Amino acid sequence: MISKIAGAGLGLMFLGSSVFAQSLADAKKAIDAEQYQKAKSMLKNLTTTQADKDENYFYLGWVYLKQDYADSAKAIFSKGLSVNAKSPLNLVGLGAVAHVEKDNATATSNFNQAIALAGKNGKPYLYIGLSYLLPVSGSSIGPNGSKIAPADADAAIAVLNKGKAVNPKDAEILIAMGDAYRSQIKSTDAYNNYNAALAIDPKSPAANVAEGVLWKYAENFEDSEKQFQAALAIDPNYGPAYRELAELYLRWAPKDPTQYDAKVKQAADSYKKYISLTDYSVESQMRYADFVFRAKDYTTLQKIANDLSASAKSNLRAYRYLGYAAFENKDYPAAESAFTKWVNEAGPKRVIPNDYLYLGKTQLEEKKDSLGIQNLRKALTLDTSQVDIYGEIAKSLYKSQKYIEAAEAYRTYGEKSRKATLNDHFFEGFSYYQAYKDQLIKQQTNKAIKVDSTLLTKADSAFTYVERKLPTPNAQIVYFHANVKDFEDVDRNNIKGLAKPLFEQYVQLVTAKGGTPDQNTKGYMAVAYAYLGNYAENKEKDSAKALDLYTKAQQMDPENAQVKYFFQKKSSGKSK
């Protein structure tokens, strides 16, 4: 579907690419319509022809900020302040840059200064609110775009309420308020504000689109479509309405299989129209990449990102998209190269935990385990709430046979993540068990090595947890649990039989299935029978029972060392 968009869209002549109106009102209208290149061209001209008007600099900086060029935005806002040191809007701009760069103290200071200078002007309040709704550097990318932190939404609502008190008839403030509530999934509050905005300005395409987005996320697709169409009835060239229609149809398509192809085509046509109404530039292609990413068309995304990364004017963020796409397409060398460039050059303020997560996963796929684990741990350092990363770390450490570290990672994953399965808890126990065996083997060649008996206790605990949670017993888990209990019987000349109930249960579970056991199961059965035979012989003093059990063990695995020893001893008449 996305390929159709690309094929149809790339050769178009784009609206408004040559002749621009020169008023600030027209520039602001272009910003609202997401015609950022058009707006920038007009505003650059205005900062030359009306160099003494600080507002021109603010709106130019705001465009740069919307396009993820924070450094350029900061320079423009500073220039606006050099024109007018008491420009509240340019102080808001510097605060917005500080906010997206997570410099909360500077952001608050600039916002407070702007409010002190605002007087009866509602625009500084509006743009402070919108600043809080900008995605901060390092915010996660999801299907619905970057998430707004609840605290930022609260701050936006608080300042927008102040702006509403200054200018109750500002529809833009009400739309921004609705957006803040929508980010908190407070749909009723969002709807009330969008409706209030439409009551003030019925001809606002932005308010209609905002309300349509609200219906879209509520999966009221028909009403959502009506709102977007209402926006286009007001302004047939309002690009954001087509973008949201594309998102709507993409979300709608899987809900009705009979209409899937038709909705996908509508999504493609709508996004093609959106691109044609904005501007064919690196920035518009970045927005295109955003859409393709959300559509999970990684083949097309990799092509777009490759083209963008080849452009000298490209935003470095193209490498993030290239990394994600290449990873999903299993092109791991390209993914590693892209992510490495991104994390090394983007700077810590722009790198998000997912970047290190995907870089780490890529390196694990390339068998670069130590580097992969190192980057997974970096992802955790950036965001300790990303507990699912422990699962990736655990799997990698287990594959590398670093059993103690793997067990601890599985344990943390099991404690902290809702996604942890009983299988993960099993591997926690099995890793502790393997770690104990490794220490025993090493001790045989180096008596100075100490064996950590707590590893068995931890393995025992993990296996017990799994057994209690399972609806029916699992033979394999019972077998390994039995081995753990056998190791806990440290006095081999006077065993307590800690493993006896579990080995008996294992034999019962396997024999109840009937049929011929596979080779692995035969080996496990031989171990179980041999253990029970040894217990019968030396603890219960029942020679007949011991012979029967060892005979069954021999039938399962004649090469079992304990079985061979028993029959050699018996044939030579030796005692224990």
Side-chain angles (χ1 to χ4, degrees), residues 307-434:
D307 291 344
L308 282 169
S309 64
S311 168
K313 297 180 180 179
S314 178
N315 190 312
L316 191 63
R317 184 159 49 94
Y319 287 96
R320 172 190 278 159
Y321 286 130
L322 180 56
Y324 285 154
F327 177 85
E328 297 293 346
N329 294 330
K330 303 188 187 304
D331 185 356
Y332 300 121
E336 184 181 20
S337 175
F339 277 125
T340 300
K341 183 174 179 65
W342 166 251
V343 300
N344 287 344
E345 296 182 23
K349 291 179 180 178
R350 298 179 73 189
V351 176
I352 63 175
N354 260 12
D355 298 334
Y356 283 116
L357 172 61
Y358 271 87
L359 175 56
K361 288 167 69 174
T362 298
Q363 289 166 330
L364 294 181
E365 292 290 347
E366 294 184 295
K367 311 301 180 189
K368 300 177 180 178
D369 291 341
S370 59
L371 282 174
I373 292 169
Q374 182 180 335
N375 280 305
L376 291 178
R377 292 193 188 281
K378 282 183 183 177
L380 272 171
T381 301
L382 285 179
D383 184 357
T384 55
S385 68
Q386 293 253 29
V387 293
D388 294 339
I389 295 173
Y390 284 108
E392 299 287 342
I393 293 173
K395 288 174 189 175
S396 176
L397 289 167
Y398 180 83
K399 281 168 63 178
S400 302
Q401 298 183 353
K402 297 177 180 178
Y403 293 120
I404 293 179
E405 291 176 80
E408 292 298 328
Y410 273 122
R411 185 176 187 176
T412 304
Y413 182 53
E415 289 172 349
K416 295 187 175 184
S417 175
R418 294 180 180 179
K419 293 183 181 180
T421 64
L422 289 179
N423 202 44
D424 295 310
H425 287 283
F426 166 76
F427 274 103
E428 175 196 336
F430 191 72
S431 298
Y432 280 126
Y433 164 65
Q434 289 290 89

Side-chain angles (χ1 to χ4, degrees), residues 482-501 503-504 527-541 546 549-550 562 576:
N483 277 273
V484 169
K485 301 305 288 185
D486 188 23
F487 276 127
E488 288 180 357
D489 240 341
V490 291
D491 186 354
R492 306 311 293 174
N493 292 314
N494 186 29
I495 62 172
K496 298 175 182 177
L498 299 178
K500 183 174 180 288
F503 275 126
E504 287 174 337
V527 171
Y529 279 130
Y531 174 91
L532 295 170
N534 180 59
Y535 188 85
E537 180 186 19
N538 296 302
K539 197 72 175 177
E540 297 175 329
K541 308 300 181 184
L549 289 163
Y550 271 115
Q562 193 173 348
K576 176 183 173 185

Side-chain angles (χ1 to χ4, degrees), residues 510-521:
V510 174
T511 54
K513 288 181 180 178
T516 305
D518 61 31
Q519 207 58 41
N520 270 346
T521 304

Side-chain angles (χ1 to χ4, degrees), residues 162-175:
K162 292 178 181 177
K164 186 178 172 183
V166 170
N167 186 358
K169 298 297 184 180
D170 190 332
E172 288 183 290
I173 288 177
L174 293 167
I175 294 169

